[in-house]
Amino acid sequence: MPAKFFKVDANAILTLGRNSIKDHTTAVVELIKNAYDADADLVELNIRALSESASEIRIADNGHGMSDSDIENSWLRIGFSDKVTNKTSSRFTRRKTGEKGIGRLSADRLGSELELRTKSRARPATGVLVDWSKFESAGKEVGSIPLAVPKNLNPTIPGKAHQSRTRTGTELIIKKLRQRWTPDDIEKLHAELSLLLP
Ligand SMILES: Nc1ncnc2c1ncn2[C@@H]1O[C@H](COP(=O)(O)OP(=O)(O)OP(=O)(O)O)[C@@H](O)[C@H]1O
Ligand SMILES: [Mg+2]
């Protein structure tokens, strides 16, 4: 008999993320931890949740960024984390906070659309657009859902504008938010973020 193989239903990815990420403040913290692990020393967080249609979360960092092959071989490979073998960051020798390889699913926890733009050293900018609602219908193999590419690949990276040509970093824009953000949520997020840095 020929060997048998698992396939992965796209929906399972959403279930995995939604069940392992407690709430929407934790989800933002997860994404900021990724910036920390990428040696960012600046992270910009904008939460605009005035009306449903104009709601948006933007998280931009000046970390190492990702190349196209990083996206292909690590960001798009759910459950994979190179942090299992590379436990400390290269620039600030930080002990990395991630290792499970699912933190990126926090984007789905927050909103149904993700635009990721990123630039790493000596590599062209790259990115990916994810419409998580396409993962919801039953019986779809995860690898069969094509992902689009943002029109503008250049991330807006926090920091001094005159260094922008040499800078690296990542910008995530999450749209169609799933939750309202109350002043209490922002307060809770602030408290959780203060615990992140010694
Ligand atoms: N802001 C970022 N800058 C650079 N690389 C990033 C960024 N966000 C994600 N990545 C890359 O994508 C991978 C996936 O992130 P994800 O949070 O899913 O996994 P992880 O951080 O390795 O583990 P965990 O699930 O425990 O957070 C990371 O390992 C990293 O290689
Ligand atoms: Mg992570």
Side-chain angles (χ1 to χ4, degrees):
M1 235 199 326
K4 301 212 182 299
F5 298 92
F6 277 113
K7 295 185 197 68
V8 180
D9 207 285
N11 209 330
I13 304 299
L14 301 184
T15 309
L16 174 66
R18 291 172 191 179
N19 289 341
S20 55
I21 298 147
K22 195 174 58 179
D23 52 30
H24 57 316
T25 50
T26 312
V28 171
V29 173
E30 277 300 323
L31 297 175
I32 292 179
K33 279 183 185 171
N34 282 347
Y36 176 87
D37 292 349
D39 273 336
D41 60 3
L42 290 171
V43 178
E44 265 171 21
L45 168 65
N46 309 102
I47 300 177
R48 273 199 296 172
L50 297 174
S51 71
E52 209 115 302
S53 57
S55 69
E56 179 178 298
I57 294 177
R58 172 177 172 270
I59 301 170
D61 69 62
N62 67 345
H64 297 306
M66 285 175 274
S67 66
D68 205 45
S69 73
D70 291 334
I71 296 266
E72 198 67 42
N73 301 318
S74 109
W75 202 88
L76 290 176
R77 186 173 282 270
I78 311 285
F80 173 81
S81 175
D82 76 334
K83 298 173 192 176
V84 177
T85 42
N86 302 316
K87 289 187 195 306
T88 49
S89 71
S90 54
R91 182 171 173 222
F92 293 129
T93 57
R94 291 173 177 164
R95 163 117 188 120
K96 292 183 189 172
T97 62
E99 62 167 24
K100 294 196 287 290
I102 55 169
R104 73 205 88 170
L105 299 176
S106 296
D108 161 68
R109 182 71 186 69
L110 293 167
S112 68
E113 281 178 13
L114 167 69
E115 185 165 345
L116 183 157
R117 294 193 269 259
T118 185
K119 169 83 180 73
S120 67
R121 204 171 68 91
R123 286 278 171 274
T126 182
V128 66
L129 276 175
V130 186
D131 176 353
W132 299 105
S133 65
K134 290 194 177 146
F135 291 60
E136 271 163 7
S137 46
K140 244 194 233 168
E141 173 65 27
V142 67
S144 74
I145 300 170
L147 304 172
V149 170
K151 270 197 209 89
N152 172 13
L153 294 171
N154 291 307
T156 300
I157 298 168
K160 294 197 180 77
H162 69 268
Q163 299 170 334
S164 65
R165 278 155 57 84
T166 54
R167 278 185 303 144
T168 63
T170 302
E171 182 180 32
L172 305 176
I173 296 171
I174 297 162
K175 291 182 187 160
K176 302 196 179 156
L177 301 190
R178 301 192 196 278
Q179 225 135 9
R180 293 180 159 278
W181 284 81
T182 64
D184 277 355
D185 294 330
I186 304 286
E187 199 54 54
K188 182 163 172 267
L189 177 60
H190 184 259
E192 284 177 29
L193 287 175
S194 334
L195 294 177
L196 195 59
L197 284 179

